Amino acid sequence: MVEWKSIEEIGSYFGGLTGKTKEDFEEGNGKFITYMNVFSNPSLNPSVVGVVKIHEGEKQNKVQRGDVLFTGSSETPEETGMSCVVTDKLEGDFYMNSFCFGLRLYKPEQYNLHYLKHLLRSESVRKSIAKTASGVTRFNISKARFSKIQIPIPSLEEQTRIVGILDTFTASIDNLKEQIAQRRKQYEYYRDQLLDFEGKEGVERIVLNEICEVINGRAYSQPELLNEGKYRVLRVGNFFSNDNWYYSDLELEDKYYCKNGDLLYAWSASFGPHIWNEEKVIYHYHIWKMNCGERLQKKFMYYWLQSEDIKKQAFTNLHGATMAHLTKALMESLMVPLPSLQEQSHIVSILDTFEASIQNLEAQLKEREKQYEYYRNKLLTFE
C-alpha cells in the first residue's frame, strides 16, 4: 500500500544563514553547507563545506540528520529545487547557505532517508518541482506551490527494499567515479613527467607561431545566430554539452570551419584543448583553430596544451576582470618544446593509452547512470 502525502504534510520549512557579511565567511567556528553541495549531491557530503563565524547568543538554524535541503533558485526551472538529504549524523554545528531552504520532517522514523534521497531526484518528482518555479532571467521556487507537491510513501519495509536495489547502482557509480579520478591523477602525473623537457639535450624550444598557425573563430552578433540552419555554430559550452546549439546559414571562408580531427583551443572562460571529432561546423570567436606545422604532431600539441609547462608560461598572465582570457598574442609567443617526431609519437602513444582507459571508464559510468535512472523511475512510479 502506498500513501500519497504533500510536502507540507511531512515537514516544516526552515531557512539558511541570515545577517552575515563577507568577513563572517573568512574564518569561523561553524560549518556551512554550500549551494553546490546541495545542488550536486542527493545525499549531503559533509566533508565539502565552508566555515562561518557564529557569535555567542546568535540565533541561526542548525542542520541535522534527517533534514532535506533544497536549492531555492536557478537559471532554469528544471534546475530549481534540487534536493539533498542529510543521511548521516553530523559532527559539530552545520548551517545552510542563504540561497537554499530546508525541510524538517515531523516524523523522521517513518522514512528511510535513502528512499527520500532517490525519490526526490526521480523524474516524476523533479517535473513536479519544476512546475513550482517562476521567473524570467532567474527562476525561484514558490513555497506555496511547492508545499502542495504529492509524493508516494510506501511502507518502511518497501522503502528499504527499493533502497537496497538503487543503492547497489549508486555504489557502482561511485566506484567508477573514484576509478576515473585515480586514473586522471595517473594520467596527469605521467603527462607532466613526459612533457617536462627542462635540461634535456636535443630538445629545442620554438616560438609557437613559427610552428603552429592560430586562427580565431568568427564573432557573431545575436541576430546572426539561429535556432536552426545549415551549419552548427560551436561555442565553448558545446565542448561539454550537446545541448543548446546555435546555427548559421552564412557561407564563410574555409578557415572558419572545423572538421573531424582539427585541434581547437578554448581561450576564454573555460580554457583547454579539444580534438574535434564530428562533422564540419563553424567555430565561434572564443575558440582558436590550431594548424600544426610538419615538425609538430597535432596530438603531441594537444597534450602539451594541457601540461604544467603551458600553465607556467601562460596562466600567470591572464587578462580580463569579469572573464579571464588568453590573448592571441600571448599564445603565439609561448615557447613550445620540440623533440623529434619519433619522440613525439612515443609520448602520444603512452598518453593515448591513459586517455582511452579514462574514456572507457567514462562510457561505463554513463551506461551505469542510465541503468540507475531507468530502475529509479520504474521502482518509484506507483500510479
Side-chain angles (χ1 to χ4, degrees), residues 17-73:
L17 289 161
T18 58
K20 290 296 168 187
T21 65
K22 182 180 178 182
E23 288 72 26
D24 288 320
F25 296 97
E26 292 177 357
E27 57 182 38
N29 52 346
K31 303 171 184 177
F32 84 93
I33 299 161
T34 65
Y35 178 98
M36 285 309 299
N37 195 339
V38 177
F39 183 90
S40 304
N41 298 305
S43 179
L44 181 70
N45 184 346
S47 64
V48 182
V49 293
V51 295
V52 60
K53 184 181 294 181
I54 303 295
H55 301 281
E56 187 175 351
E58 186 177 347
K59 291 185 178 180
Q60 298 283 356
N61 293 315
K62 295 179 183 178
V63 176
Q64 63 188 36
R65 182 180 184 275
D67 288 342
V68 185
L69 314 180
F70 296 93
T71 58
S73 65

Side-chain angles (χ1 to χ4, degrees), residues 257-300:
Y257 298 93
C258 61
K259 58 186 182 300
N260 189 24
D262 278 345
L263 174 59
L264 306 175
Y265 192 91
W267 55 265
S268 178
S270 183
F271 302 98
H274 305 266
I275 298 290
W276 186 244
N277 60 1
E278 294 184 30
E279 73 277 10
K280 182 177 178 181
V281 300
I282 301 170
Y283 60 103
H284 199 263
Y285 179 69
H286 293 285
I287 298 169
W288 292 317
K289 180 166 69 172
M290 310 188 75
N291 295 330
C292 299
E294 59 184 24
R295 297 180 63 195
L296 179 65
Q297 282 196 22
K298 182 179 0 182
K299 203 66 184 290
F300 174 82

Side-chain angles (χ1 to χ4, degrees), residues 50-181:
V51 295
V52 60
K53 184 181 294 181
I54 303 295
H55 301 281
E56 187 175 351
E58 186 177 347
K59 291 185 178 180
Q60 298 283 356
N61 293 315
K62 295 179 183 178
V63 176
Q64 63 188 36
R65 182 180 184 275
D67 288 342
V68 185
L69 314 180
F70 296 93
T71 58
S73 65
S74 190
E75 294 179 355
T76 66
E78 292 75 23
E79 292 187 341
T80 55
M82 297 299 289
S83 59
C84 177
V85 182
V86 184
T87 55
D88 299 315
K89 183 180 178 181
L90 301 177
E91 300 295 334
D93 293 337
F94 280 70
Y95 303 87
M96 183 174 55
N97 73 87
S98 59
F99 299 101
C100 295
F101 64 94
L103 182 75
R104 181 149 296 162
L105 302 175
Y106 293 130
K107 297 180 178 179
E109 69 277 3
Q110 294 183 352
Y111 309 95
N112 185 314
L113 297 177
H114 292 275
Y115 171 78
L116 294 178
K117 170 188 75 177
H118 296 297
L119 175 69
L120 294 171
R121 293 259 180 159
S122 66
E123 184 178 356
S124 59
V125 175
R126 288 297 313 146
K127 285 181 178 178
S128 297
I129 291 174
K131 292 176 183 177
T132 71
S134 58
V136 180
T137 58
R138 192 163 184 86
F139 293 82
N140 297 283
I141 290 288
S142 163
K143 288 205 181 80
R145 293 196 294 269
F146 190 85
S147 298
K148 304 300 180 184
I149 292 174
Q150 296 279 321
I151 60 173
I153 308 295
S155 68
L156 197 54
E157 181 182 9
E158 178 64 7
Q159 291 179 43
T160 302
R161 185 188 75 84
I162 291 170
V163 167
I165 297 170
L166 295 181
D167 273 1
T168 300
F169 282 102
T170 55
S172 177
I173 288 169
D174 289 342
N175 179 263
L176 283 167
K177 287 180 177 178
E178 179 61 27
Q179 288 186 57
I180 291 170

